[in-house]
Each structure stands twice: as C-alpha cells, then as structure tokens.
Amino acid sequence: MSAALARVPGSLTGQLVTPGDRRYAQLRSTYTTTASPAGVLLPKSTNQVIAAIRYAREQRLPIAVRSGGHGLSGVSSNNGGLVIDLSMLNRVQVLDERAGLVRVEAGARWANVAKALAPYGLVISSGDFGNVGVGGLATGGGVGWLVRSSGLTIDRVRAVEVVLADGTLVRADAEHEPELFWLVRGAGAGAGIVVAFEIEATEQRNVGVAQLIIEADPDGSTVRDWTRYLAQAPRELSAGAVLYAEGRSTLMSITAVVAAESLRRARPLVEPLLAIGKVLEHRADLLPYPSLVPTAHLQPNVGQQRGTTTNGLFTKLDDAVARALTRATTGPGRAVIQLRSVGGAVNDVDPGATAYPHRHQNTLVVASVFPPQGGAALEAAWRGAAGRADGAYVNFESRPDPAAFARIYPGETGARVRRLWKRYDPDGVFRSALLTARPARSGQPARSGQAARSAQPARSGQPRSGQPHRRRR
C-alpha cells in the first residue's frame, strides 16, 4: 500500500483494495477500459460511502465512481486515483407490492434486479444487458426492452438517495429537493453519488420475443422501413436491431419485444417486420422477462473489449441517412450500427421534466468501430448521419467532451445542468468529463467503448443483447 493511502479510517477497514491485493485485478478496470487506480474503495453502506468520499478527498486524488463498470466513457475507473465501487450496495427491496414501488441500490446489476422482482410479477425496463449496473443507467436514461410501453428507466424513478460531494446525504423527490431530483434523472453523474433509487415497476411476467435475421437492402430501404414502422407501431412493441457486415452484404439482427402475456397478441405486432427485407431466420417465443437480462450475463469487467462509439437521436430517418448507415457497415471501418426504438411512453414526458430532454424523437442510432479502427474510422462511418441527428444520449458516447455535452444537453437543459452541477458539487469533485475531456486523436481508440458482445445473432430461445456488437472471429 502506498504511503498516500495508508491512513484508512477505521470505518473503512478492509474496504480498500490496492495493487498488492489479489482482488485488485478484478476491480481495477471497466468492461472496455484497462486502468490502474491507486486504490478501490468498496463501501457496504451509505455511511461508508460518506466515509469513502471524505477519505478520497483527503487524499487529493482523482475520484471515479462505479456502479457496474459497463459505461462507455471509461470514467468509472482511472489511473492513479481512487475508485468508489458500489458493487456491495446491491440490495433490491419491494416497498409496496400493490403500487409496484421498489427500492434498488446503485451497485445492483440489472440481471439481479429482474430475478428479484420476478416472483412479484414486476419488471423495470432497464437497458438490454444484465451485467449493467443500476447507478449509471438509472442516472443517465435507460433505453430498455420495454421502453415504448414503460418509458425510460429514469421516468419511473420516484425518489433517490444521494451523497453529495461534502458528504451530506439527501433524499430527493418531486417535493423535496426537486432541483436535485430533476438533475439526477438524466445528468446524475455530476451531482454526487446516488446510492439508492425508489422506482415504480411495471406489472409484467412474460413478454413476446421475436428474433429475426434479415438481409438489409444496400439502398437503405430496410433500415428506413424498420424505423417508420416502429415510429407508429402500438407502444407495446419495442425493438432493437444490429446492422453488421457479412461478407459484402449487411445483415440486420432484430430483437422485437412485445409487452404481452400471449403470443397471439405479440405476433401481429411483429409481422410487419417480416416485410422489410429478405428474412433469413425468424422465431418467436413467449419468455419470462428475466430471460432478456439473464444472470448468465454477469461477469467481471476487466477491460476485455474496447471500441469507439457515438450516437444520435432521430425523429425520422430519411432515405439518405438510412442508406449511409447501411453502407457504413461494409465500408473501410466496418462499423456496427445499432437501432433502438424510443418514442411511445418516452415522448409522453414533458421535455423539461427531467435532465433528459429528448421527448419527440423515435429512433436512437448508435455507431461503433473496434480496434484497430478508432476515431477517424468512426467519424467517416458516422458522417452521413451526424448532420441529421437531433440530440444524443449520454450513455452511448465513448468520447465525452463539450461538443458531446451540447448534443446531449442542448439549450436551456444544458445551462440548467451546468448550474446545478456547480451548486451541488462546487469543488468539482465529480466534475463530468463532458465539460473537460478532449476526444482521442484520430486512429486511436477512446479510453472506453461500448460493451461489444458478439454480433452473431442468437440461434436459441434466449435473445442476445441489442447493443453494439463486434463479431468474434
């Protein structure tokens, strides 16, 4: 242990992991970034989070906060600083079964949340990969498998418990600390450490799941037709699609999820997708919701997959953008393009109600490239869509900088986010990289990239993630 980290307070005894500890290799990095912090603090309680912040500030070292370590930006670890890892704060408690009110601690993984809620017939729409931590997703947005019927994860948050930079514990909801409550729903990373959320879950046990592999037309019509149908489809239907190269062709792997308890209800909603291109594979199942974010996803995050990712939100994709996205998959950078449906219940929320203001768009498009390709290849792949994007989502940007901030938090939302970050963290202890970071040089991968699981479509009853994928060869 370095001399700088020797004076651990008694309240944190045994909770500091340093490079000489056998646990360090499993805790040092994120899924997409290999890092070497001076130490990792593992608080087991809110009081220990408070002690961890005070101790970290005393050390005068950079602080990173991690709930799951799956974030694109790589800021949930660092080099030479301290990481406050919330993984031991992972309890899930049903507070009111009839109202569906659930308390979830920030270090829980979504696979465990789904498993814990299943006996109650409750679900929280929460992204598409079970290993993702609650804290990072539930403070940024949360575009889950039930997004069009249930809204973003943040739209279901009813209260939060936040430890501010000075060690103060604050409970915030619509009536108490409403400004902080507004901020943590969409821009929480710069406010403090959210240690727990009270979330209104949805009643749902099973979902209809259809998995399709379609040969995408190179003129972009398959992509255009997918987005047009999802924009006006019944809101019970949410879907994700991954576009990837197969030789000189582009394939589209679709996972469509219907918030319905029977296939008879689900099938008609999915059938229009069979007409958007040449169908190579198709199957439909009625599955328990936890199968979408299974505990099989749980794994240590040790920097095993790098990539460079950006994104944009679109009200509609015109022919030119759809064609550019399709061709990006077979271009020199071999980009992987993800489409995620939004709209529906997301757009029921007033744009000023949370720090996520994007309440009129229908499609989230995410573009990724993987080593040896880096920033230059991504920019080339994204060029045909960038100028038509209308906003962006914080959790799918691997190169946080002020330009990304302007896309994610435009106009008055951005001004308000800046004011409140300064109010609640005047010393910049949790200062967001969106305000200060510079993008990686062209040709180099950013420090972090999207979790890049295999793009090879699932061929069994269990769906694969719809997030950006890289084919394993």
Side-chain angles (χ1 to χ4, degrees), residues 14-276:
Q15 304 310 115
L16 178 64
V17 177
T18 55
D21 191 305
R22 61 181 176 81
R23 297 172 291 173
Y24 182 79
Q26 300 294 311
L27 296 170
R28 61 185 288 191
S29 301
T30 73
Y31 186 80
T32 56
T33 307
T34 302
S36 298
V40 180
L41 288 158
L42 293 164
K44 294 181 178 179
S45 66
T46 298
N47 285 338
Q48 286 192 340
V49 172
I50 293 170
I53 292 174
R54 290 173 176 167
Y55 172 73
R57 295 193 66 175
E58 289 170 1
Q59 303 308 298
R60 299 181 180 273
L61 292 174
I63 299 173
V65 181
R66 177 164 66 222
S67 60
H70 234 268
L72 273 170
S73 62
V75 297
S76 59
S77 192
N78 58 35
N79 292 312
L82 283 165
V83 176
I84 299 176
D85 184 304
L86 305 177
S87 58
M88 300 184 80
L89 284 167
N90 56 20
R91 289 173 285 272
V92 181
Q93 179 185 4
V94 176
L95 302 177
D96 186 334
E97 184 176 352
R98 179 173 294 182
L101 190 63
V102 181
R103 182 180 184 273
V104 184
E105 292 184 334
R109 306 296 174 105
W110 287 110
N112 292 327
V113 174
K115 181 179 179 181
L117 297 184
Y120 300 92
L122 297 174
V123 303
I124 298 172
S125 186
S126 57
D128 60 7
F129 198 62
N131 199 37
V132 173
V134 166
L137 183 140
T139 54
V143 182
W145 287 120
L146 302 176
V147 63
R148 298 185 69 250
S149 61
S150 296
L152 302 171
T153 307
I154 61 170
D155 297 339
R156 293 279 177 166
V157 173
R158 299 294 175 255
V160 291
E161 299 164 31
V162 188
V163 180
L164 301 179
D166 63 0
T168 303
L169 175 63
V170 179
R171 176 184 167 86
D173 58 28
E175 296 181 356
H176 307 90
E177 296 286 345
E179 288 286 90
L180 180 59
F181 186 54
W182 178 89
L183 181 65
V184 299
R185 292 175 296 155
I193 299 180
V194 181
V195 293
F197 303 81
E198 291 181 13
I199 303 175
E200 184 180 340
T202 304
E203 290 187 27
Q204 193 82 38
R205 292 189 181 274
N206 301 307
V207 288
V209 179
Q211 295 177 282
L212 299 84
I213 301 172
I214 293 175
E215 186 173 340
D217 290 332
D219 65 0
S221 60
T222 302
V223 170
R224 181 200 63 207
D225 292 346
W226 185 93
T227 58
R228 286 181 178 176
Y229 175 59
L230 264 297
Q232 54 84 41
R235 61 176 57 190
E236 294 97 326
L237 175 67
S238 301
V242 179
L243 293 163
Y244 61 95
E246 185 70 45
R248 295 183 178 180
S249 300
T250 298
L251 298 188
M252 188 178 200
S253 176
I254 300 172
T255 300
V257 179
V258 182
E261 295 284 352
S262 73
L263 281 178
R264 187 170 67 175
R265 170 60 182 161
R267 283 195 177 105
L269 275 63
V270 173
E271 282 177 0
L273 295 174
L274 300 175
I276 66 174

Side-chain angles (χ1 to χ4, degrees), residues 351-394:
T354 70
Y356 180 99
H358 309 292
R359 303 295 183 168
H360 63 273
Q361 300 91 334
N362 292 306
T363 308
L364 170 64
V365 181
V366 185
S368 301
V369 297
F370 303 94
Q373 305 291 352
L378 179 64
E379 288 154 15
W382 187 240
R383 189 172 295 125
R388 306 294 182 90
D390 180 16
Y393 174 39
V394 65

Side-chain angles (χ1 to χ4, degrees), residues 294-375:
T295 54
H297 286 169
L298 298 176
Q299 61 187 7
N301 292 322
V302 293
Q304 61 265 51
Q305 182 64 72
R306 296 174 182 269
T308 311
T309 295
T310 193
N311 76 92
L313 287 154
F314 296 80
T315 303
K316 67 177 182 179
L317 294 184
D318 62 24
D319 291 350
V321 173
R323 183 167 56 250
L325 292 173
T326 305
R327 292 181 176 177
T329 65
T330 54
R334 289 270 168 161
V336 174
I337 304 295
Q338 176 196 6
L339 309 173
R340 292 301 301 270
S341 63
V342 283
V346 177
N347 293 357
D348 291 344
V349 178
D350 186 282
T354 70
Y356 180 99
H358 309 292
R359 303 295 183 168
H360 63 273
Q361 300 91 334
N362 292 306
T363 308
L364 170 64
V365 181
V366 185
S368 301
V369 297
F370 303 94
Q373 305 291 352

